[in-house]
Amino acid sequence: MGRDSGKAVSRWLQVWLEAGRDGQVFTYANPLDLALAPGDLVQVRLRGRRHSGLVVEVLQDLPAELAGRALQPVESLLQPAAVSAAWQQLIDQVAGDCHASRFQTLKSALPSGWLGQRLQPPVRAPRPAWQIEGPRVPLEGLRLTPAQASLLHDLEAAGGAKPLAELCAPGAHSRSVLTSLERRGLVGRTTLGAATMPTQSPRALNSDQQRAVAAITAAAPGQALLLWGVTGAGKTEVYLQAAAGCLAQGRSVLLLTPEIGLIPQLLDRARSRFGAAVLEFHSAMADGDKVASWRAALDPEAPRVVVGTRSAVFLPLPRLGLLVLDEEHDASYKQDSPMPCYHAREVARLRARQSGAVLVLGTATPSLETWLSCSQGHTTLLRLPQRIGERPLPPVRLVDMRQELAEGHRRLLSRPLLERLQQVCQRGEQAVVLVPRRGYRAFLSCRSCGEAVLCPNCDVALTVHRGREGREWLRCHWCDHRQNCGDHCGHCGSTAFKPFGAGTQRVIEQLGEELSDVRLLRFDRDSTRGRDGHRQLLERFAAGEADVLVGTQMLAKGMDLPRVTLAAVLAADGLLHRPDLRASEQSLQLLLQLAGRAGRGELPGEVLVQTYSPDHSVIRHLVQGSYGDFLDQELDLRRRGGLVPLARACLLRLAGPSASATATAAAALASRLQPGVERAGWVLIGPAPAPVARVAGRSRWQVLLHGPAAAAIPLPPEPDLRSALPVGVTLAVDPDPLEL
Ligand code: ADP
Ligand code: ZN
Ligand code: ZN
């Protein structure tokens, strides 16, 4: 329908549809004079089909290329102001900062499936959700199927009640089993809102905690604070009490954690304090549940405490009073792909300023970025220097593996470590052991020609995994390709292979051989599959089902297990010597976090680190517990080297079907950008193949831009940047990348 169609056209609208290509918006006419505005959810037709779409812009004049074209009108208004003007501003700002399109950013920020739905007006009260209670009679002597028994045991373990959505989540119990138990009267249901009344009252704070809560409560709108508290200092209690103050003023709270595995613990603690005011929002939820949380968050009358992971930073809470990023140093707060490659910490800073909320960054090991921000006066430092109950931090003991070797002990597990593990178990205490890699063996290599067995799709060696019956196969940790170990070398035909490096499976096997009567449990991505895998495994360990938990990095993150008195690291060296600018910072953070798992309860703890480099500065700071000094020194080093965060970097990542096409595209991009980069006083480095030059069959190249801190990244606007890329080659812009 064009200008001369005779109908009164007040405006032209740009509408974003999920059905469109990346970055594409469609122009529609508004003949109904609905006075539509950006943020309205509307229904339109595209190629004969109905779609819901978001009005992203109102045009007074039609772009020249569309002048005179017949434009269809918007069919109807589904929901006015489905996203607020302030929220759209946030999206535009994030898109701009990350050199992503508004479309990509919207797609990242909105729960998937949201646009496909017909929206109702914001809900006033949370939709009644069911909670299942039971078992209502003793289970002894009952005839139950294994599935029924397992469901009842789960309920029992959860203290007699569990939300239906959780009990019957995909991968958990089936609805039909629940129905059969309901029919027999063994379980019953109540509404979740009614049942989740707060059950826990706030704890009496120690003086450091009191000071922290007072400072957060008194902080100016938009202010950022770093809550630097040692592991076990009671940071979560500070968050919860600050959140209570916020709720009391009718304002909402965003409580973010970097790890999906930490959600259950935080959710339990928040629910026991705030009951039905708590919403969850994270990637392990079903689309429908996410949309429900999103909608509940829109209600300005009902202040919420949202517990979520990275993407929850975009939830459009209308009256936001407090944002908390727990474990603010964690790399999971950064999105690598797809674009926008945003950092939740930076989005949180924007949101805090925009909505006059207070931002609290909590951690035992602050990131260098946040430390710098403190030293520049942009972030206020709050300290919790002591553990709750003045419990001591566990001392760190080193095992010099060079000496072990010199004394003829070539085993993976040193004598002191085995001794300590045995003692811990004999005393009925528990230990956690960090192994940097999952699987059985790091890789296989050929005894004749020395070549490792590589993934056919990626430039990495395949990892050996082992099944229950001892059968071994190979797996790629990058693309998940699986294959049999094979019987001859693809290079020279030799049939002799030699495995190298130990993963969690091999460590468990060796511990089993060396220690008698020690019960072992494995904690890695392979053993914690499914939505509740993480939680279930930790519950089993907390219940005393095993003495030693052997796991990967996941082990170090945030868990609170009072009977753990020993935290051990098998091969610290693998962490220290990575070729990355942040290797020192990240490995010290990991080691301190792991150390923080020991001695959290009444019993004192100890940390044991096996290393070939006991003199490494990271190990020294670990032993001395001098993280603040480490940060100062590291900042000084980076300042003198002109490195991030005292400078800025931006990584352009290209991927394409062949090495030559990708290399050519990278070279063309680099020479196109070079003049602008130079003009801005920046430096362009590369192009060069990515550290792993091929993943899942796609070749990867990169170009690095380096420039002054706080300066804008000298890149042309989004469509121009991509315009000259050959078909099949993709480009991702990663501002302030975490890996360099
Ligand atoms: P962090 O997050 O700093 O590592 P947590 O918040 O997990 O520490 O607190 C450690 C333990 O101390 C938890 O079991 C918590 O319930 C308990 N705790 C926190 N604050 C207090 C307090 N004021 N009094 C008693 N116990 C507390
Ligand atoms: Zn060979
Ligand atoms: Zn692979």
Side-chain angles (χ1 to χ4, degrees):
M1 219 161 290
R3 263 172 202 279
D4 43 9
S5 65
K7 286 201 177 177
V9 178
S10 62
R11 285 191 185 97
W12 309 100
L13 303 169
Q14 297 218 300
V15 178
W16 172 58
L17 309 177
E18 267 191 338
R21 264 188 297 111
D22 198 25
Q24 193 178 15
V25 288
F26 298 85
T27 309
Y28 285 87
N30 181 10
L32 304 174
D33 205 10
L34 288 170
L36 294 171
D40 289 344
L41 194 68
V42 294
Q43 182 167 293
V44 296
R45 264 173 193 279
L46 179 68
R47 295 179 211 105
R49 285 172 163 239
R50 284 210 170 101
H51 292 272
S52 50
L54 197 63
V55 177
V56 290
E57 212 156 324
V58 177
L59 304 172
Q60 294 304 339
D61 299 302
L62 211 50
E65 70 270 20
L66 289 179
R69 288 264 300 274
L71 292 179
Q72 290 191 48
V74 160
E75 284 197 344
S76 61
L77 173 62
L78 295 178
Q79 186 186 341
V83 299
S84 71
W87 191 82
Q88 291 174 72
Q89 235 172 43
L90 175 79
I91 292 303
D92 286 348
Q93 175 117 30
V94 172
D97 289 352
C98 296
H99 294 265
S101 69
R102 178 197 259 173
F103 167 88
Q104 287 170 316
T105 312
L106 275 171
K107 200 161 172 167
S108 239
L110 292 171
S112 44
W114 185 77
L115 267 193
Q117 306 204 350
R118 229 172 210 283
L119 272 200
Q120 273 88 48
V123 274
R124 288 281 152 221
R127 246 185 341 168
W130 294 107
Q131 152 156 309
I132 305 301
E133 291 178 348
R136 290 190 161 164
V137 296
L139 298 183
E140 280 83 7
L142 281 182
R143 289 188 46 178
L144 297 168
T145 65
Q148 290 173 331
S150 143
L151 189 153
L152 289 171
H153 281 301
D154 251 21
L155 277 180
E156 211 164 27
K162 229 176 171 178
L164 170 65
E166 217 168 283
L167 195 67
C168 295
H173 303 282
S174 89
R175 291 256 183 177
S176 61
V177 173
L178 177 64
T179 316
S180 68
L181 290 171
E182 279 189 296
R183 267 198 224 112
R184 289 173 67 182
L186 297 178
V187 300
R189 58 171 82 194
T190 54
T191 57
L192 188 59
T196 51
M197 291 307 283
T199 54
Q200 195 197 56
S201 44
R203 293 173 192 275
L205 300 179
N206 66 27
S207 56
D208 291 322
Q209 286 176 316
Q210 277 171 21
R211 258 196 300 279
V213 172
I216 296 167
T217 312
Q223 192 178 341
L225 304 112
L226 166 63
L227 180 62
W228 179 21
V230 296
T231 51
K235 291 185 287 295
T236 312
E237 190 62 34
V238 171
Y239 307 151
L240 293 178
Q241 297 208 13
C246 220
L247 278 184
Q249 296 176 349
R251 300 189 70 172
S252 291
V253 179
L254 262 174
L255 201 48
L256 304 187
T257 173
E259 267 292 312
I260 191 79
L262 294 176
I263 288 275
Q265 190 180 314
L266 197 55
L267 204 54
D268 286 351
R269 281 170 86 168
R271 283 232 168 93
S272 69
R273 203 61 68 80
F274 307 117
V278 178
L279 290 176
E280 66 183 302
F281 191 87
H282 50 79
S283 50
M285 288 164 76
D287 280 354
D289 293 336
K290 277 208 252 186
V291 172
S293 280
W294 182 275
R295 284 210 227 147
L298 285 170
D299 184 356
E301 309 290 313
R304 300 291 188 174
V305 176
V306 180
V307 174
T309 47
R310 182 175 70 213
S311 60
V313 77
F314 290 111
L315 271 185
L317 293 154
R319 302 189 61 212
L320 189 59
L322 175 67
L323 293 118
V324 178
L325 264 75
D326 192 23
E327 315 290 359
E328 68 89 25
H329 64 279
D330 198 295
S332 305
Y333 279 126
K334 173 83 195 245
Q335 172 147 310
D336 284 334
S337 71
M339 283 179 74
C341 302
Y342 68 91
H343 198 303
R345 195 201 295 131
E346 298 315 311
V347 180
R349 276 187 193 277
L350 281 176
R351 283 205 78 173
R353 266 184 248 133
Q354 187 195 52
S355 50
V358 172
L359 171 63
V360 174
L361 305 169
T363 177
T365 52
S367 63
L368 212 53
E369 283 75 12
T370 299
W371 193 246
L372 175 64
S373 172
C374 282
S375 76
Q376 294 169 332
H378 303 315
T379 300
T380 308
L381 175 62
L382 304 174
R383 292 218 52 188
L384 300 178
Q386 284 223 309
R387 279 190 164 180
I388 287 299
E390 301 186 7
R391 283 172 200 143
L393 281 165
V396 180
R397 194 170 135 202
L398 301 181
V399 180
D400 188 340
M401 294 302 276
R402 295 171 308 184
Q403 205 177 328
E404 279 283 300
L405 199 63
E407 291 168 17
H409 292 272
R410 324 176 147 265
R411 306 301 305 265
L412 189 62
L413 305 157
S414 65
R415 292 164 297 167
L417 176 60
L418 290 171
E419 228 166 78
R420 282 292 290 120
L421 283 172
Q422 194 85 66
Q423 280 169 6
V424 162
C425 305
Q426 274 158 6
R427 293 197 205 128
E429 298 166 11
Q430 291 181 309
V432 295
V433 176
L434 176 82
V435 182
R437 179 185 296 273
R438 67 194 161 97
Y440 186 63
R441 291 295 221 155
F443 60 95
L444 274 187
S445 87
C446 169
R447 280 181 195 274
S448 305
C449 72
E451 294 283 342
V453 182
L454 299 180
C455 174
N457 313 318
C458 313
D459 282 354
V460 293
L462 293 168
T463 305
V464 185
H465 282 248
R466 181 172 261 221
R468 284 229 177 96
E469 333 69 36
R471 200 179 77 82
E472 290 176 9
W473 70 94
L474 296 171
R475 254 167 75 182
C476 175
H477 285 186
W478 287 71
C479 73
D480 215 31
H481 166 83
R482 290 152 200 241
Q483 70 182 50
N484 289 326
C485 286
D487 51 8
H488 66 276
C489 170
H491 296 274
C492 72
S494 159
T495 54
F497 290 112
K498 188 173 160 61
F500 283 91
T504 44
Q505 290 185 311
R506 168 109 172 135
V507 170
I508 293 242
E509 184 184 85
Q510 294 218 333
L511 281 171
E513 286 167 10
E514 301 270 357
L515 301 173
S516 47
D517 299 331
V518 169
R519 295 164 308 153
L520 302 156
L521 209 52
R522 180 158 61 95
F523 187 61
D524 58 22
R525 237 202 288 163
D526 299 321
S527 68
T528 55
R529 295 203 181 256
R531 183 179 181 278
D532 262 350
H534 205 111
R535 175 191 217 147
Q536 281 163 9
L537 214 119
L538 279 184
E539 273 171 6
R540 285 169 58 194
F541 186 60
E545 214 177 280
D547 308 303
V548 180
L549 192 62
V550 177
T552 50
Q553 258 83 329
M554 290 159 65
L555 206 59
K557 295 192 178 174
M559 57 178 156
D560 191 23
L561 300 165
R563 278 179 52 226
V564 173
T565 57
L566 176 66
V569 186
L570 271 201
D573 306 81
L575 303 166
L576 304 178
H577 304 306
R578 281 185 307 123
D580 191 287
L581 177 65
R582 289 187 173 83
S584 289
E585 183 190 347
Q586 287 173 349
S587 52
L588 184 53
Q589 286 167 353
L590 176 65
L591 293 171
L592 281 168
Q593 294 286 344
L594 182 83
R597 300 314 113 212
R600 293 172 75 92
E602 301 288 323
L603 303 162
E606 188 190 18
V607 183
L608 209 142
V609 179
Q610 297 192 163
T611 177
Y612 289 94
S613 346
D615 302 323
H616 194 286
S617 78
V618 164
I619 302 290
R620 271 205 333 270
H621 285 294
L622 174 68
V623 173
Q624 292 164 3
S626 48
Y627 188 69
D629 293 345
F630 168 82
L631 285 175
D632 287 337
Q633 285 170 21
E634 186 73 17
L635 211 51
D636 202 43
L637 264 175
R638 306 255 188 111
R639 185 173 282 124
R640 277 185 278 133
L643 301 168
V644 291
L646 293 120
R648 264 201 105 176
C650 176
L651 195 62
L652 306 173
R653 298 193 304 240
L654 294 104
S658 74
S660 60
T662 317
T664 311
L669 179 72
S671 54
R672 208 151 52 81
L673 294 179
Q674 182 74 45
V677 168
E678 256 169 45
R679 260 199 311 281
W682 282 54
V683 183
L684 184 148
I685 303 158
V692 178
R694 203 169 55 107
V695 173
R698 286 178 66 79
S699 286
R700 310 199 306 171
W701 279 68
Q702 60 189 35
V703 175
L704 182 67
L705 308 181
H706 211 267
I713 300 167
L715 285 177
E718 175 61 18
D720 298 347
L721 179 63
R722 254 157 244 283
S723 58
L725 284 179
V727 180
V729 175
T730 57
L731 169 65
V733 181
D734 187 355
D736 308 308
L738 284 189
E739 272 169 40
L740 280 167

